[in-house]
Amino acid sequence: MKVIDLYYNEIYIYAKSLCRDEFLAKDLIQDVCFKLWEKRESLSTNTVLKGWLYKSIKYKYLDHIKKYKKETFAIEKTFSDTLTDVIQQEYDENLNRKLELLEKEIEVLPKKCKQVLVMSKKEGLSNIEIANYLGISIKTVEGHLTQGFKILKNNLNKKYQLLFTFLSLSKTKL
């Protein structure tokens, strides 16, 4: 009787209990048997073969888990990065469409409203700086800004109102 035949059922049950997969258990046993064949002449006569087989199955399984986790992590990371890129690209395209629409609507504002709005939101000037530059009062600057935003809100679809809220709160460039 061959050594493997003597212990096969025991190590198969052990391997299957570790991995809960019949095919993986058989693969682990095959790898361990091959390793045993390679080491057959270097194993000590004092080696407890049954213990060596159990230990080898355990370490083969742990190696499999490490390799699988790395592969799974790499796949999940690639998927996550790709999904993030797609979402970001869609967001950027959507934002660009909204900004183009906003630019078109700004172009049709009354001349002074447009000038004050551009100086405030695109160039980042304060109301005082705009008033000094144009030689008008701060109240007039505020009036032009209010009128410009009111016209833009009325002309653009309501779904873009969040964009206007953002613009009215920030002094960032478009």
Side-chain angles (χ1 to χ4, degrees), residues 66-82:
K66 287 178 190 174
K67 180 182 175 189
Y68 179 75
K69 279 187 177 180
K70 286 179 185 175
E71 289 172 357
T72 302
F73 176 76
I75 290 169
E76 288 176 357
K77 176 139 179 47
T78 301
F79 176 76
S80 175
D81 291 347
T82 303

Side-chain angles (χ1 to χ4, degrees), residues 14-158:
Y14 176 66
K16 191 171 177 189
S17 72
L18 288 175
C19 62
R20 295 180 175 86
D21 180 334
E22 179 181 341
F23 297 110
L24 178 57
K26 289 179 181 180
D27 284 346
L28 295 174
I29 292 170
Q30 184 176 8
D31 290 347
V32 167
C33 289
F34 183 72
K35 185 177 174 185
L36 176 62
W37 178 256
E38 288 180 328
K39 292 184 167 246
R40 70 186 181 278
E41 293 182 15
S42 65
L43 286 176
S44 166
T45 54
N46 295 333
T47 302
V48 178
L49 192 55
K50 185 176 178 179
W52 186 92
L53 290 170
Y54 274 88
K55 199 181 261 189
S56 295
I57 293 286
K58 179 177 93 173
Y59 289 127
K60 267 297 180 201
Y61 177 64
L62 291 174
D63 288 344
H64 171 77
I65 288 174
K66 287 178 190 174
K67 180 182 175 189
Y68 179 75
K69 279 187 177 180
K70 286 179 185 175
E71 289 172 357
T72 302
F73 176 76
I75 290 169
E76 288 176 357
K77 176 139 179 47
T78 301
F79 176 76
S80 175
D81 291 347
T82 303
L83 185 60
T84 301
D85 290 346
V86 167
I87 290 170
Q88 185 63 42
Q89 183 180 2
E90 188 176 308
Y91 172 79
D92 291 345
E93 289 171 1
N94 196 18
L95 183 59
N96 286 336
R97 282 192 302 270
K98 289 177 182 177
L99 289 174
E100 285 174 15
L101 181 60
L102 180 60
E103 287 291 335
K104 287 178 184 175
E105 289 299 324
I106 289 173
E107 289 300 317
V108 297
L109 286 175
K111 185 178 177 182
K112 279 289 186 190
C113 282
K114 176 184 168 185
Q115 186 179 21
V116 170
L117 190 72
V118 167
M119 291 174 82
S120 174
K121 300 305 174 193
K122 281 192 172 184
E123 297 172 15
L125 299 176
S126 70
N127 290 358
I128 295 171
E129 292 170 324
I130 296 169
N132 289 338
Y133 181 80
L134 296 177
I136 57 177
S137 72
I138 294 174
K139 288 289 183 190
T140 305
V141 170
E142 291 170 355
H144 284 305
L145 286 173
T146 302
Q147 181 186 7
F149 279 119
K150 187 175 180 181
I151 292 169
L152 289 174
K153 284 180 183 181
N154 287 335
N155 291 347
L156 295 171
N157 197 331
K158 289 186 186 243

Side-chain angles (χ1 to χ4, degrees), residues 5-22:
D5 292 337
L6 184 64
Y7 296 114
Y8 184 83
N9 287 336
E10 287 182 57
I11 61 174
Y12 172 74
I13 291 169
Y14 176 66
K16 191 171 177 189
S17 72
L18 288 175
C19 62
R20 295 180 175 86
D21 180 334
E22 179 181 341

